[in-house]
């Protein structure tokens, strides 16, 4: 079985964030919900991201893995794109106006992404920040940090 970043089955599978800490697990689905179900948000994402082209995104992938939000794509960084596009996701989810028992709409799930984008830190940066691979309990410490 192949596991590309996205594949169309009976549903659209997006594999961009496997095994993230609990606080981040709902962020990616909320982002995709906004982009795929809100025409205004989808159009804005397309007009901003598609012009870079497939080849540029493919070339940037290894840098994104290594450099996170500091990685460059075209004339900008992934972090700058996140800061530019996340407010559009917020607006799309606000338009949906689906609330939980506390009256919070789905934007509440994006809070961790806003924090990451504001500091140019990826989830990997947050999980690994201050972690020392040579410490005696390194593996246990890493697993605890990444627990979900």
């Amino acid at each position: 079985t192949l596991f590309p970043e996205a594949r169309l089955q009976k549903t659209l599978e997006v594999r961009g964030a496997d095994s993230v800490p609990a606080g981040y697990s709902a962020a990616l689905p909320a982002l995709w919900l906004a982009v795929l179900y809100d025409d205004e948000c989808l159009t804005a994402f397309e007009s901003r991201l598609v012009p870079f082209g497939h080849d540029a995104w493919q070339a940037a992938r290894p840098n994104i893995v290594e450099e996170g939000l500091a990685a460059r794509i075209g004339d900008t960084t992934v972090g700058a794109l996140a800061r530019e596009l996340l407010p559009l996701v917020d607006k799309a989810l606000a338009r949906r106006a689906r609330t939980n028992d506390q009256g919070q709409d789905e934007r509440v799930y994006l809070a961790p992404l806003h924090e990451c984008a504001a500091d140019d830190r990826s989830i990997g940066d947050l999980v690994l920040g201050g972690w020392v691979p040579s410490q005696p309990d390194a593996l246990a410490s890493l697993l605890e940090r990444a627990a979900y």
Side-chain angles (χ1 to χ4, degrees):
T1 302
L2 296 176
F3 293 101
E5 291 301 311
R7 65 182 179 171
L8 186 58
Q9 301 275 331
K10 290 181 181 180
T11 60
L12 177 64
E13 292 181 7
V14 180
R15 297 184 41 82
D18 290 342
S19 186
V20 295
Y24 299 89
S25 62
L28 187 61
L31 182 138
W32 279 115
L33 176 73
V35 173
L36 295 177
Y37 288 88
D38 186 275
D39 290 338
E40 187 176 325
C41 189
L42 177 60
T43 299
F45 266 62
E46 285 177 331
S47 64
R48 185 63 176 113
L49 302 179
V50 170
F52 291 114
H54 179 266
D55 291 343
W57 282 108
Q58 284 300 101
R61 285 180 72 186
N63 296 333
I64 294 169
V65 169
E66 187 157 324
E67 300 171 29
L69 298 183
R72 297 203 64 79
I73 178 84
D75 63 347
T76 191
T77 65
V78 174
L81 287 170
R83 288 186 295 279
E84 178 183 338
L85 295 172
L86 278 172
L88 304 176
V89 175
D90 280 324
K91 290 176 184 175
L93 293 177
R95 284 191 288 272
R96 283 176 48 87
R98 306 275 173 91
T99 58
N100 62 18
D101 294 344
Q102 290 81 41
Q104 300 167 311
D105 65 33
E106 295 160 314
R107 291 176 291 175
V108 69
Y109 302 118
L110 298 176
L113 297 183
H114 283 288
E115 291 172 21
C116 287
D119 296 337
D120 260 345
R121 294 186 307 159
S122 68
I123 295 170
D125 293 330
L126 297 172
V127 169
L128 292 175
W131 180 70
V132 179
S134 61
Q135 68 190 45
D137 62 343
L139 181 57
S141 171
L142 181 60
L143 292 174
E144 183 179 322
R145 290 163 171 261
Y148 62 96

